[in-house]
Amino acid sequence: MDKAQVMEKQTQILRDIFDSPALEVTEETSANDVDGWDSITHMQVIATLEKEFKIRFALGELQSLKNVGEMANLILKKI
């Protein structure tokens, strides 16, 4: 799996969680860019990504992430 494939899956997950089929997601997209992305939905995003990619994140790993692109890089390291 490459970064483009991870980004595609992440985009679909975010569109599903935020019920926004037209949501545009780039590597620079962050929680501040998406209406309704709060701490509760953030946990839903993390749990869904863990399930989809069959991985587990450590809290320390997540705290330093700034955007979706950095999340994709972390996912690639774990799969």
Side-chain angles (χ1 to χ4, degrees):
M1 181 171 285
D2 63 19
K3 189 168 184 177
Q5 292 169 314
V6 171
M7 286 294 299
E8 186 177 324
K9 281 190 176 195
Q10 280 182 298
T11 298
Q12 190 55 54
I13 287 168
L14 293 172
R15 287 176 176 166
D16 290 346
I17 289 173
F18 295 103
D19 194 26
S20 179
L23 179 64
E24 291 295 324
V25 178
T26 68
E27 288 192 33
E28 291 78 31
T29 300
S30 70
N32 294 332
D33 301 321
V34 181
D35 287 338
W37 193 333
D38 57 18
S39 59
I40 301 296
T41 53
H42 187 73
M43 294 308 299
Q44 186 178 2
V45 168
I46 298 304
T48 305
L49 289 170
E50 287 180 330
K51 184 177 178 184
E52 177 69 29
F53 291 102
K54 297 174 178 56
I55 58 174
R56 298 295 282 170
F57 296 112
L59 182 59
E61 294 173 321
L62 298 173
Q63 291 175 330
S64 65
L65 299 177
K66 295 179 182 77
N67 54 43
V68 174
E70 289 185 10
M71 175 68 79
N73 290 334
L74 180 57
I75 291 168
L76 281 170
K77 287 180 187 175
K78 292 185 159 289
I79 56 175

